[in-house]
Amino acid sequence: MRGVSMPTHQYAQQAEAYLQPRIPKSSTPGECSKVVVPDILSLAMTTRAYTRVVMRLRAQAESDARVFARSHVGPVSKPATQDGQVVRSSSSRTPSPTSLYSHGKSSSVSNSAGGFQSPLVRLHRAPLLRVFVPSPEGEWLSDSSVVECEAELKRAGVLKLLRVGDVVWDVAVGDEGNLGRMVWDGSYLVDLDYKYSRMGELSPYFHSLAFSPSYFHRVIRTGVNAVLNPGGNPIVYLDLSPWGQELAANLQLLQDRAMTATPHGTLHSVVHWLHRSSFTIRPPVSPHHPHAYSHSQNLRLPIPNVAGFFIDPGWYGTVIVEAEGTNEGLADFQARCGPGAFPPRADNVTSKMRSEKEKGSRRVYRVLREKSRPGEIWIRAVREKERVM
């Protein structure tokens, strides 16, 4: 299959050759000069076929995972009775979120569930679909180029199969960083956001709780900043005000040790203060079968204050939030918890102006990959001063 065997950088080379001024070339005198033009239609058809294969593999992977889950979940048994009284056993306890849930689904349903394995598709990860649209404007796609990318998805016949969060890559732009990568929002392709990363991050238009914390891992590449983001942790957009009371009750001021890099590249271990708190996202349980995990698998927990979106099971469990250990960091954390979580602060004119300026960044966090694990997600508050654009 050409779409798999052809190196991705050759798409950009062919697009560049197509966009260059067409100068006739003649090898010997007397011969008719010919214009060498890359076969753009063939390349476009190659990416359409590749996209169709990826969508087919995703459907197969999800089907195999459902069959695997049904075959490994036993039927719900009625509680045993003795002399008319219910006999409770240790098996009737509700399973803990930590033991049941990992990044995306239960630990029993892994990426190799049902024996399905493919280098093109991974369960609970965003697919990377391809289109081929040469961009006359260069690396930055114009509105007309984005519309043409959407038209290519329609020509591939996958428009009705797309889901919110699917990543589409215009391979004609290049393979450096996140060039040419866009995210499907349900109706249109949305460009990446560059406020906190020069390589691009997920747009704040999307609700990160609707995707697992690792959903865009290695699909949307994350830039490394020696000072602001040495671990290459991704940006997520979360509204934590519905859990503000719980965050306020668990808030602590702690000392922590971290590795920092100097401008010369050397690493130093430093001790700094930080504010740390946590809240719990509990999985929904059917009221008719409170002890049956098989029945609660199909239930979904809606995102508070967001209509039509549901929390991905990868967030179930404990979410630990870190913020700066300064007075400004504390004020920013309190503002993120929403009104009523903390007593009102006596702000002066300067603090009010700073608060108004940072109002737009109160949903911005970074997932700390090095600390996170299934059932326990660590995030760090990102403030306005970390913006790069």
Side-chain angles (χ1 to χ4, degrees):
M1 181 180 176
R2 184 181 181 185
V4 177
S5 60
M6 181 177 177
T8 54
H9 70 272
Q10 291 187 7
Y11 288 99
Q13 293 176 354
Q14 296 289 332
E16 185 179 359
Y18 173 77
L19 295 172
Q20 284 179 352
R22 297 175 176 83
I23 303 176
K25 297 180 180 180
S26 58
S27 55
T28 58
E31 287 188 1
C32 295
S33 58
K34 297 182 180 180
V35 178
V36 179
V37 180
D39 190 357
I40 297 301
L41 180 59
S42 175
L43 294 173
M45 295 179 65
T46 298
T47 55
R48 295 173 197 170
Y50 178 91
T51 296
R52 286 194 292 267
V53 169
V54 171
M55 301 300 281
R56 175 64 181 85
L57 289 175
R58 178 168 72 173
Q60 178 182 346
E62 294 175 347
S63 177
D64 291 352
R66 286 192 294 268
V67 173
F68 182 84
R70 285 195 296 266
S71 63
H72 284 71
V73 176
V76 181
S77 59
K78 295 182 180 180
T81 58
Q82 182 176 357
D83 297 334
Q85 296 182 352
V86 178
V87 179
R88 299 188 181 275
S89 61
S90 58
S91 60
S92 65
R93 295 180 58 191
T94 303
S96 64
T98 305
S99 62
L100 283 178
Y101 295 96
S102 61
H103 292 282
K105 293 291 178 184
S106 72
S107 58
S108 63
V109 185
S110 62
N111 287 325
S112 59
F116 178 87
Q117 290 184 353
S118 172
L120 304 181
V121 173
R122 291 191 63 185
L123 278 175
H124 323 307
R125 295 286 179 88
L128 185 57
L129 311 177
R130 294 181 183 178
V131 295
F132 185 84
V133 178
S135 173
E137 291 78 12
E139 297 177 349
W140 295 96
L141 296 176
S142 63
D143 293 343
S144 59
S145 296
V146 174
V147 172
E148 182 61 24
C149 290
E150 295 172 355
E152 276 294 301
L153 294 173
K154 185 176 182 179
R155 297 185 188 108
V158 300
L159 206 57
K160 295 183 179 180
L161 302 176
L162 294 177
R163 302 174 186 171
V164 177
D166 288 351
V167 180
V168 178
W169 174 27
D170 183 6
V171 291
V173 177
D175 193 18
E176 182 179 354
N178 291 316
L179 292 179
R181 305 200 180 196
M182 300 161 285
V183 185
W184 182 256
D185 73 341
S187 301
Y188 306 99
L189 289 173
V190 179
D191 197 6
L192 300 182
D193 186 75
Y194 295 88
K195 293 187 182 72
Y196 298 93
S197 172
R198 299 189 185 279
M199 289 186 63
E201 298 277 359
L202 186 68
S203 171
Y205 179 76
F206 296 91
H207 302 280
S208 295
L209 282 177
F211 312 99
S212 66
S214 60
Y215 189 73
F216 298 100
H217 182 50
R218 294 184 178 178
V219 180
I220 297 179
R221 296 163 177 167
T222 307
V224 177
N225 187 302
V227 179
L228 301 177
N229 189 25
N233 295 314
I235 288 286
V236 292
Y237 296 90
L238 309 172
D239 179 15
L240 303 186
S241 58
W243 298 275
Q245 298 288 345
E246 187 176 355
L247 287 169
N250 297 330
L251 181 61
Q252 293 178 311
L253 179 62
L254 305 170
Q255 272 190 335
D256 188 41
R257 185 177 295 274
M259 300 296 295
T260 60
T262 64
H264 301 287
T266 58
L267 296 177
H268 291 279
S269 178
V270 297
V271 177
H272 62 104
W273 290 91
L274 57 84
H275 291 98
R276 182 180 295 167
S277 186
S278 64
F279 66 96
T280 303
I281 302 178
R282 295 174 176 82
V285 178
S286 172
H288 303 290
H289 302 275
H291 303 297
Y293 170 61
S294 60
H295 286 262
S296 65
Q297 276 184 316
N298 297 324
L299 299 178
R300 295 190 295 177
L301 191 65
I303 299 178
N305 305 324
V306 180
F309 289 88
F310 299 87
I311 299 177
D312 187 271
W315 290 97
Y316 292 168
T318 302
V319 180
I320 300 173
V321 186
E322 290 187 348
E324 289 183 3
T326 61
N327 291 333
E328 293 80 6
L330 176 60
D332 176 72
F333 178 83
Q334 292 177 349
R336 292 169 185 258
C337 292
F342 290 90
R345 298 172 59 92
D347 295 334
N348 52 30
V349 177
T350 304
S351 61
K352 288 182 178 179
M353 293 177 60
R354 184 190 303 115
S355 177
E356 189 65 24
K357 182 180 179 180
E358 297 185 351
K359 188 175 181 179
S361 64
R362 289 174 184 168
R363 295 176 55 242
V364 187
Y365 299 85
R366 288 194 184 275
V367 177
L368 304 181
R369 289 175 176 163
E370 66 276 7
K371 295 182 178 181
S372 299
R373 59 179 182 268
E376 186 178 285
I377 306 300
W378 290 64
I379 60 177
R380 178 179 65 83
V382 176
R383 298 182 59 193
E384 185 74 13
K385 63 181 182 181
E386 296 186 31
R387 288 187 56 165
V388 296
M389 289 185 67

